[in-house]
Amino acid sequence: MMHDDFDNGEVRPILQAAEAEAPVHISSRLQSRIFSKLIQLEQEQGALRVLSESRAAGERLCIFETVVAALPSDDLQSRNPCAVCHARILGERVEQAPIFWPGCPYAKFCGH
Amino acid sequence: MSRFRTKYPPRPLRFLHCPTGGKEARSRHTGKANPLTPSISRIHDADLELAAAVLKRDRKATARLIELHADAVHRYVWRRLTPKVDLVDDIVQDVFVAAWRGLPGYSGEASLQTWLVSIARNKVEDYYRRTLAAPLESLEQDEDAPLLASSVNLDANLEQSRQEERAAKILSGIPYEYATALRWRYWEGRTAREMAAATGRTEKAVERLLARARAKFKSRWEETA
């Protein structure tokens, strides 16, 4: 029988309400991996926004980005220092990694 | 409605919906005076600004996009895929990659979060479609099972949360294809016809599958009473 009392019965609303409890927060590792992936895609599409522009737009830079932002060339400023940073490696692999650089996105994902 | 293309007809989300139906964003887009409250308008302005910054390949804005919205996307996908939670991470990442690719089409008519969750919904439904389009060999033993168990006699006094917990447990315990069919039908609100069109099965086959899934659910429900 295709049509039974299920749809109009008591079980349907219970089933609909029985959405499993999900963890409140996504893991910091997954956020880090997604961020790295998106930056990789952005780099494939073209140069990243120069860091001095990001800073001028009100963004906070980490200590390494601050150094890169001081470089005179836009080409250099478009590079991604995270690619060679230990914070990225830690962030992608260790949950709540002990990264405490102010302005570092991986540290932010870890809640620091 | 965002211009993000989807395979499925749009449906209202059961949560995280845009509180104003995106009217303030539309008016902003058309340049007409915004009749809605400034506070709501500012929310969408912030979303549009964030989207614009990400489109400029601003790494800090990209980080903020994830930081602000990853929890909501993750929660949605996790709920829809339980107990196959091992797939959640990949699908959440796929959602953000798809969103990044589709960001030029984000018009601000819905909040970024609503827009992202609608992409997540499509990804989840793609997964449901793949699950139910595949041969359902593990269910063959159920072919001869009665489609309806005896009537469900729920204890009316049973606390609602207990019932929900019990239902969630049963969903985790019945064959995954059944649980997927039930979630797709009752959580996402798809009709058997829509499910049939998405999976390449006949409507009758989907109805049979749903009937068996319901019968299995009911029998487990009674067993655990």
Side-chain angles (χ1 to χ4, degrees):
Chain A
M1 187 187 298
M2 300 307 167
H3 303 288
D4 52 42
D5 60 346
F6 190 94
D7 278 357
N8 297 317
E10 294 167 283
V11 178
R12 182 182 187 183
I14 294 166
L15 180 59
Q16 286 180 328
E19 297 188 21
E21 283 298 314
V24 176
H25 296 297
I26 186 173
S27 77
S28 64
R29 277 185 305 162
L30 180 55
Q31 286 187 84
S32 299
R33 287 203 298 271
I34 293 170
F35 176 67
S36 299
K37 177 71 180 175
L38 294 188
I39 295 300
Q40 180 201 332
L41 289 170
E42 288 178 2
Q43 285 185 295
E44 286 170 11
Q45 195 185 57
L48 296 177
R49 192 178 195 186
V50 295
L51 284 163
S52 54
E53 280 182 22
S54 294
R55 186 169 52 193
E59 304 287 2
R60 186 173 187 183
L61 306 185
C62 79
I63 186 167
F64 300 114
E65 290 168 331
T66 304
V67 171
V68 173
L71 297 172
S73 144
D74 279 2
D75 179 46
L76 291 172
Q77 281 202 38
S78 296
R79 295 191 183 174
N80 179 23
C82 299
V84 292
C85 184
H86 70 289
R88 177 186 61 79
I89 295 165
L90 272 176
E92 290 176 5
R93 288 166 178 76
V94 180
E95 187 60 23
Q96 299 298 314
I99 310 164
F100 299 101
W101 301 111
C104 166
Y106 296 97
K108 283 188 96 176
F109 296 146
C110 293
H112 303 312
Chain B
M1 188 66 200
S2 82
R3 282 183 278 154
F4 185 80
R5 291 180 189 283
T6 64
K7 291 176 191 165
Y8 301 98
R11 278 175 181 279
L13 292 166
R14 288 204 287 136
F15 68 106
L16 294 174
H17 61 89
C18 174
T20 61
K23 284 175 187 167
E24 72 291 350
R26 248 194 313 278
S27 61
R28 180 185 186 279
H29 231 58
T30 55
K32 291 177 186 170
N34 189 335
L36 298 171
T37 60
S39 59
I40 297 292
S41 175
R42 274 199 297 273
I43 292 169
H44 286 265
D45 283 351
D47 281 351
L48 283 166
E49 282 170 21
L50 179 58
V54 174
L55 285 171
K56 287 178 185 167
R57 295 188 287 279
D58 185 317
R59 61 203 95 184
K60 298 295 181 178
T62 305
R64 204 159 58 252
L65 176 76
I66 296 165
E67 196 187 350
L68 287 174
H69 302 300
D71 276 347
V73 171
H74 183 261
R75 261 197 307 275
Y76 177 84
V77 175
W78 199 95
R79 283 181 175 131
R80 277 358 192 211
L81 262 60
T82 299
K84 299 256 181 182
V85 290
D86 51 320
L87 301 170
V88 170
D89 286 8
D90 286 345
I91 291 184
V92 170
Q93 179 162 319
D94 284 352
V95 169
F96 275 92
V97 169
W100 180 81
R101 292 189 200 286
L103 206 55
Y106 173 69
S107 60
E109 290 176 14
S111 71
L112 259 179
Q113 190 162 93
T114 301
W115 184 73
L116 281 162
V117 172
S118 73
I119 295 171
R121 180 180 190 159
N122 280 303
K123 292 286 176 191
V124 165
E125 291 200 75
D126 277 346
Y127 175 71
Y128 287 174
R129 179 184 53 74
R130 287 196 301 276
T131 300
L132 296 185
L136 304 175
E137 287 159 1
S138 64
L139 305 179
E140 279 174 5
Q141 61 193 22
D142 279 352
E143 281 288 332
D144 298 327
L147 292 185
L148 275 178
S150 57
S151 65
V152 181
N153 183 20
L154 297 179
D155 180 356
N157 297 321
L158 192 61
E159 192 186 346
Q160 178 76 7
S161 63
R162 289 277 311 281
Q163 292 185 353
E164 290 166 10
E165 188 184 322
R166 193 168 135 210
K169 202 169 175 181
I170 292 170
L171 277 179
S172 297
I174 63 177
Y176 190 67
E177 293 83 354
Y178 284 162
T180 300
L182 291 174
R183 285 187 177 113
W184 205 0
R185 172 73 185 85
Y186 296 103
W187 288 8
E188 302 300 341
R190 295 294 172 191
T191 64
R193 179 171 294 179
E194 287 171 330
M195 291 165 68
T199 56
R201 296 179 184 278
T202 63
E203 190 177 344
K204 199 170 179 183
V206 171
E207 283 180 341
R208 265 201 308 272
L209 175 69
L210 281 167
R212 286 204 300 276
R214 289 192 292 254
K216 180 69 80 179
F217 183 91
K218 275 185 173 179
S219 81
R220 291 285 172 87
W221 183 269
E222 289 181 332
E223 284 167 21
T224 59

